[in-house]
Amino acid sequence: CLKKDGGRRRRSATIGKMQEPVAQGGVFTPAGLLALPICDFALWKGNAPEITLLFYAFVVSARVRAMEKAKGKKFFWFSSIARVLMLCYGGSTMIPIMLGSPPAAFMNDAVISITLVSWWLCNCCPGDIFYSTYTSSKLLRGISGFFFEIARCNVCLIWLKKGHAVIPAGGKYYPIPIWGPLLAGTFAGSFGGFVHNGLAAVDSEVTWLVQSAAYVTAAYHFAVFDPNLAPLIQGLAAPFVGPLAMGSAAWTAAWAPLVGAGCALWLAGVAFLQEAVYDKDFNPFSPIHKIAYKVTLVENQKEAAKKKKA
């Protein structure tokens, strides 16, 4: 997940024009927005991959410790590490193999090394200082969740792009592939839960881990790659950075990075709210889900179970 996608660019609404945007004055120009440190971080520039991976692996290690508490027993150390690795990299191992690429965890020694450091800090640090501080501080959990999702979103988008790079375009039904890249991005950011828990991961609900991976993958896919929808979405978004930016070369060049940064910061922001403000059940799309269940006539088993208990 630390290896950027170097695959060839495919036909899309904006791909092919994504050269580095020309600097223009002001924060609210496309180039000005991308120059903000938070955007650089969200796009995994500089040391952002290593920093976010450290938090990513620590959060997963903490979740494995929570499993120990739920089961009432401590896992053998090797079992604990194996669970962390499966949950962290199950998706970003399976999807690369399916797309004909080596997993980043095999190619980049920093991935496993940083994960082992995070596991040790969570499980073996003298005084249990890191884990006890993490569990007792909502703010620290919120910050950790923020970094966790920056890493996960970038993994989703890397393998969405790779899907577009290797799956042939120009099909019988649509100019670009749809389901292949969408599933690649979604499962890259969520399949670890399936590797560890099997279908029990979605027995009673589609977890936020799966939902959110699908949301950011679909948002980037339709906003950047789709030749019919991307121009419409780009036109709707352009006024938010000033009318002068609409249709400019700088705006077109900055569009894909801005969408990527927006997806990462949105996902990270929701994680912060879940951990530091509301609770883990907070879902900004809950009202839409209720409407969707009613319109499609699909049974909402989780809500039905709650009503039955009441």
Side-chain angles (χ1 to χ4, degrees), residues 29-244:
T29 62
L33 288 170
L34 286 177
L36 293 173
I38 189 66
C39 281
D40 266 359
F41 194 81
L43 291 169
W44 253 15
K45 294 184 178 180
N47 294 322
E50 291 80 7
I51 294 170
T52 56
L53 180 59
L54 187 68
F55 282 90
Y56 176 82
F58 186 91
V59 169
V60 174
S61 298
R63 291 176 181 176
V64 170
R65 282 197 64 170
M67 293 178 196
E68 293 178 339
K69 185 177 180 180
K71 291 179 178 290
K73 67 173 185 179
K74 187 170 180 64
F75 298 136
F76 176 57
W77 65 268
F78 192 81
S79 173
S80 177
I81 292 175
R83 291 168 191 267
V84 169
L85 291 173
M86 283 192 293
L87 288 166
C88 280
Y89 309 116
S92 57
T93 298
M94 182 197 72
I95 294 301
I97 291 172
M98 293 180 72
L99 294 178
S101 298
F106 293 3
M107 299 297 292
N108 190 330
D109 288 336
V111 174
I112 302 298
S113 300
I114 292 173
T115 303
L116 292 176
V117 170
S118 291
W119 178 88
W120 186 90
L121 291 174
C122 183
N123 289 274
C124 305
C125 186
D128 208 18
I129 183 170
F130 286 99
Y131 181 72
S132 59
T133 304
Y134 171 83
T135 54
S136 62
S137 171
K138 292 182 70 173
L139 179 60
L140 181 56
R141 291 199 304 275
I143 294 171
S144 300
F146 186 94
F147 290 151
F148 172 94
E149 294 293 25
I150 292 287
R152 192 166 68 95
C153 184
N154 275 277
V155 170
C156 292
L157 299 187
I158 284 171
W159 293 105
L160 165 71
K161 296 172 189 176
K162 186 66 174 179
H164 276 287
V166 303
I167 299 172
K172 178 180 178 181
Y173 304 106
Y174 204 69
I176 62 167
I178 299 175
W179 284 111
L182 287 177
L183 290 173
T186 298
F187 283 129
S190 64
F191 201 75
F194 291 95
V195 173
H196 185 268
N197 300 311
L199 290 178
V202 289
D203 262 352
S204 59
E205 64 175 335
V206 181
T207 63
W208 176 248
L209 191 76
V210 178
Q211 285 185 45
S212 55
Y215 293 149
V216 295
T217 300
Y220 194 95
H221 169 88
F222 291 114
V224 174
F225 285 99
D226 192 288
N228 296 311
L229 293 178
L232 298 176
I233 298 171
Q234 186 174 341
L236 291 172
F240 291 98
V241 291
L244 294 179

